[in-house]
Amino acid sequence: MSDHDLYELLGVPRDADTETIKKAYRRLARQLHPDVNPDPATQERFKEVSRAYEVLSDPHKRAAYDRGGDVFASAGGFGAGFSFTDIMDAFFGGQTGPAGRGPRPRIHRGQDALIRMEVSLAEAAFGVSRELKVDTAVVCTTCDGEGTAPGTHPVPCETCRGTGEVAHVQRSFLGEIRTLRPCSACRGYGTLIPDPCRECSGDGRVRARRSITVKIPAGVDTGTRVQLAGQGEVGAGGGPPGDLYVEVHVVPHEIFTREGTTLHCAVTVPMTAAALGTTLTLPTLEADSEPDTGVETSFELDIRPGTQSGSEHTLRGRGVPGLRGGRGDLVVTVVVETPSRLDPRQEELMRELAAIRGEEKPDGRLAPNRPSGSVFGRIRDAFNGPPTRH
């Protein structure tokens, strides 16, 4: 080995920087590793390349080599102390340093939490503030999140000397392969808690019920999630809390149905009112809102003479506010109610009217049926139930 130039073995110039040397070693290691090429001559070259990298990647050994010193004089065979990390670094491009990952932190950010809240259609449309009771993890007040009994503190682990890791050395044809594993004594934390807090058992947090105010903005719909930053679970070791998400579920309204920002409802009028015309006073969604929005809670609907069942009347700007501004419309569908029972006098008058209009034996007019998904189809199903097939 001493007869070969280390720079030449790696194929790099003598003024190559550390990153160039590392890349050259990675390339050669992938080509020459025994798992890839089991040829004995190749294995020997792999040892030489690895030994060259061991020297040139160490600033002190490289300086001694450049001065002409024998950097292998004290090495007990190939790769004495050669870290398995270097080989893994060559194959996977890892950036792990010789010191390993270090101790695990005891403090972690808390988990996010999700709760579901039911609101009425008016509350979803105009917004609402609610007080909620939630059960979450909060910082333990006895130990202030440290997890230790009052007056005590974590102590360094004697097994790993506070590093959170212990070295395991195994001999192979490559020499001594050194790997780092989490310390089993402290579970990788690097410290021990000899006297845990009795309130939280060393976790630094406890379960508690607390009240929070949730402001639901105007215009939300079922499935909308409202984020409350920092209102979730406190992390282990008294770490920062996660976020709380409130998922909205809008309870169906007895009168109004919603499609986006558009409200739909139906009004039933007798056939005489539809034929002669009338004016109706009907409530809007504001009638259900608390507090008062300052908008009229009713409107007048003019039913013109001859209004047909299924006709629609649109009131601009009386629907649901949008989350980004604006407001939808309210669409009212008129359903003309035909009497199902007539007394003798009413039947006599109806027959007289039919005679006057020449409708004693009407021919009927066929027309395409509207899809069941239309607004009128939904109104028809709501009032009459599903159609009967004969």
Side-chain angles (χ1 to χ4, degrees):
M1 178 68 191
S2 58
D3 297 335
H4 294 81
D5 182 77
L6 303 186
Y7 293 99
E8 185 178 334
L9 280 170
L10 291 180
V12 297
R14 300 189 72 85
D15 59 351
D17 58 17
T18 304
E19 188 62 28
T20 301
I21 292 173
K22 181 182 291 187
K23 289 181 179 178
Y25 174 66
R26 290 177 185 169
R27 184 180 67 257
L28 291 171
R30 284 193 290 264
Q31 297 172 2
L32 304 174
H33 194 274
D35 290 344
V36 179
N37 197 332
D39 179 65
T42 304
Q43 292 183 22
E44 186 62 32
R45 185 161 178 238
F46 176 69
K47 293 180 181 180
E48 293 179 345
V49 167
S50 299
R51 207 169 175 190
Y53 175 70
E54 180 185 357
V55 173
L56 298 184
S57 62
D58 187 313
H60 299 289
K61 291 182 179 180
R62 182 178 180 182
Y65 175 75
D66 290 341
R67 290 194 299 268
D70 188 358
V71 294
F72 303 108
S74 60
F78 163 73
F82 188 72
S83 174
F84 181 68
T85 303
D86 293 330
I87 296 178
M88 297 305 293
D89 181 49
F91 277 88
F92 303 107
Q95 301 297 322
T96 357
R101 293 178 299 273
R104 294 168 50 195
R106 289 188 180 273
I107 299 176
H108 296 277
R109 181 184 181 272
Q111 293 184 344
D112 295 336
L114 174 67
I115 60 175
R116 290 175 174 84
M117 183 174 74
E118 288 190 346
V119 298
S120 67
L121 179 59
E123 291 172 332
F126 306 119
V128 67
S129 291
R130 287 272 190 88
E131 289 288 330
L132 290 183
K133 301 285 187 181
V134 293
D135 291 318
T136 57
V138 298
V139 175
C140 176
T141 56
T142 303
C143 64
D144 292 328
E146 194 171 18
T148 59
T152 67
H153 301 280
V155 297
C157 175
E158 295 182 357
T159 303
C160 64
R161 298 184 180 181
T163 64
E165 298 170 321
V166 291
H168 291 260
V169 180
Q170 184 177 4
R171 284 193 166 277
S172 72
F173 71 93
L174 296 175
E176 291 183 349
I177 296 180
R178 179 173 174 268
T179 57
L180 294 175
R181 300 177 185 175
C183 175
S184 58
C186 65
R187 295 186 298 171
Y189 291 118
T191 58
L192 297 170
I193 299 180
D195 192 7
C197 172
R198 295 184 179 180
E199 187 68 24
C200 64
S201 301
D203 191 43
R205 54 183 179 171
V206 294
R207 305 295 299 184
R209 172 167 289 192
R210 57 194 177 95
S211 297
I212 58 174
T213 300
V214 181
K215 292 184 178 180
I216 303 298
V220 298
D221 202 351
T222 294
T224 301
R225 289 187 176 183
V226 179
Q227 181 182 10
L228 302 177
Q231 295 292 338
E233 300 273 344
V234 166
D243 298 333
L244 175 64
Y245 292 87
V246 179
E247 186 174 277
V248 175
H249 176 75
V250 182
V251 179
H253 196 274
E254 60 182 2
I255 295 175
F256 299 103
T257 59
R258 176 179 177 178
E259 290 183 348
T261 59
T262 302
L263 287 179
H264 294 273
C265 70
V267 59
T268 302
V269 296
M271 69 175 188
T272 52
L276 300 175
T278 187
T279 299
L280 304 175
T281 300
L282 303 174
T284 60
L285 188 59
E286 279 86 356
D288 293 348
S289 65
E290 293 181 9
D292 189 0
T293 60
V295 180
E296 291 290 336
T297 58
S298 63
F299 66 97
E300 289 190 345
L301 179 66
D302 290 327
I303 304 296
R304 296 180 180 179
T307 294
Q308 300 299 305
S309 188
S311 61
E312 294 181 345
H313 299 258
T314 301
L315 279 75
R316 302 295 179 189
R318 300 306 295 270
V320 177
L323 282 170
R324 297 175 180 169
R327 186 169 177 180
D329 302 328
L330 171 60
V331 179
V332 182
T333 303
V334 176
V335 178
V336 178
E337 185 177 40
T338 303
S340 57
R341 293 182 180 179
L342 298 174
D343 61 28
R345 176 58 178 159
Q346 292 171 342
E347 183 177 353
E348 180 184 353
L349 291 174
M350 290 293 289
R351 293 187 182 280
E352 184 178 346
L353 177 62
I356 295 173
R357 292 178 56 83
E359 297 174 350
E360 298 100 321
K361 295 182 179 181
D363 295 331
R365 289 174 295 177
L366 290 175
N369 189 21
R370 294 192 181 187
S372 60
S374 67
V375 173
F376 178 70
R378 292 195 299 270
I379 298 297
R380 179 200 62 200
D381 294 342
F383 279 89
N384 302 327
T388 303
R389 297 185 181 275
H390 299 282

